[in-house]
Amino acid sequence: MINSLKLIVYELKRSIRTAIPLITILLTAEMLFFFAVSVAGSKGLLLPGGMMYTFLPGLFYMIALVVPLTLFFKTTIGNETLLIRSLPVYPDTPLSAMMISSIIWSIVAELFRTTICAFALMMTESVTGISRSEMFVLLFSVYGMSGYVMTVTRNVLAIVCLQLFISMIMLLAAMSHRYRKLLAMIYGMTGGGIIFFAFAVLWSETAEDTSSDAAFFHYLPQIICLLCFITLFGIVSAFIMKHRHESC
């Protein structure tokens, strides 16, 4: 137990060494971009579309997705696999480390997303004519602060769910040395289709009612669906890792 906790802390420290430089680079690049957009708008040039207020700040979530996932692959199917297996830790400890790291970095990503979005709106307010209510929606949620809390919860769970799905696919494919890439493609397309179909029904950002009750009924099915997928992917991944550990 103690050794597993030490490994989790070690993985968190490794993610910090990778994520902080990436966040710094992305933060600087986006601030420079929105400053340039402000200057261009003040000179009468055409501004980019409204997607720049959502897509670009949302890129911080990519760091929360990629960094823990990359470290997980190094310790499970990469060049550090044998070292991790030789340690006196639970077989699924790298999986737990990835999930904890993902949750932490997803929350950090949301803080930076909100900061950059606020900076962008402040820099371009005079040339875009965006109203205060529209600014609030871009910063938080059309459903108000309760909707914002549920949106962040959904986003964090979505990152964890996607990581566990990719991890499960790679672990399943790694069980076959000869057809690893082919199986990863087949599993990924099949599982991805199922997930896409599930969220095609649930994932809708438009609604006429913007009350707190509407936020609850809008996001709760998405959160429940994500939790179901997380449970399924986590159980399968942990089972594979335990089976691999016992067979060594």
Side-chain angles (χ1 to χ4, degrees):
M1 180 67 177
I2 300 299
N3 291 325
S4 296
L5 291 175
K6 289 181 179 179
L7 181 59
I8 292 174
V9 173
Y10 173 74
E11 290 296 321
L12 287 174
K13 290 180 179 179
R14 284 215 302 176
S15 69
I16 291 174
R17 291 196 295 266
T18 305
I20 292 299
L22 293 176
I23 290 175
T24 303
I25 293 171
L26 184 58
L27 180 65
T28 304
E30 292 198 8
M31 291 182 71
L32 291 174
F33 171 79
F34 285 113
F35 178 77
V37 168
S38 176
V39 174
S42 64
K43 295 184 180 297
L45 299 178
L46 183 65
L47 292 175
M51 284 293 292
M52 69 177 180
Y53 296 110
T54 54
F55 174 74
L56 291 178
L59 288 178
F60 286 99
Y61 273 101
M62 290 300 297
I63 297 175
L65 171 67
V66 173
V67 172
L69 190 61
T70 301
L71 295 177
F72 174 77
F73 286 153
K74 286 183 179 180
T75 58
T76 53
I77 58 177
N79 53 12
E80 299 177 4
T81 305
L82 294 178
L83 174 62
I84 297 298
R85 288 185 184 181
S86 64
L87 297 176
V89 298
Y90 294 126
D92 59 349
T93 299
L95 193 68
S96 301
M98 182 189 70
M99 294 176 63
I100 294 172
S101 180
S102 301
I103 293 172
I104 293 174
W105 288 115
S106 294
I107 296 173
V108 172
E110 176 58 30
L111 294 176
F112 279 98
R113 183 208 68 82
T114 307
T115 301
I116 282 294
C117 191
F119 175 80
L121 292 170
M122 180 185 67
M123 293 298 295
T124 61
E125 180 181 6
S126 60
V127 294
T128 57
I130 296 177
S131 65
R132 295 291 179 180
S133 59
E134 291 173 324
M135 287 185 179
F136 184 86
V137 170
L138 288 170
L139 281 172
F140 302 108
S141 171
V142 68
Y143 297 101
M145 292 308 298
S146 61
Y148 173 69
V149 172
M150 298 193 74
T151 301
V152 174
T153 302
R154 182 202 63 183
N155 292 345
V156 172
L157 292 177
I159 292 295
V160 176
C161 180
L162 183 56
Q163 285 178 330
L164 286 174
F165 172 68
I166 297 174
S167 302
M168 182 187 69
I169 294 302
M170 297 304 295
L171 289 171
L172 285 170
M175 297 176 68
S176 173
H177 298 288
R178 179 176 297 182
Y179 304 107
R180 178 181 298 183
K181 293 183 180 180
L182 177 62
L183 289 174
M185 184 180 301
I186 294 173
Y187 294 150
M189 292 178 63
T190 304
I194 295 173
I195 295 174
F196 178 80
F197 177 78
F199 282 96
V201 180
L202 296 174
W203 210 291
S204 174
E205 296 296 337
T206 58
E208 295 181 359
D209 189 358
T210 58
S211 64
S212 299
D213 291 337
F216 181 80
F217 289 109
H218 178 72
Y219 290 113
L220 185 61
Q222 299 177 9
I223 292 174
I224 293 175
C225 186
L226 284 168
L227 288 173
C228 291
F229 278 125
I230 287 172
T231 302
L232 174 62
F233 300 154
I235 290 175
V236 174
S237 299
F239 176 81
I240 296 173
M241 296 180 71
K242 182 179 180 180
H243 175 75
R244 288 173 54 184
H245 182 80
E246 292 176 347
S247 62
C248 293

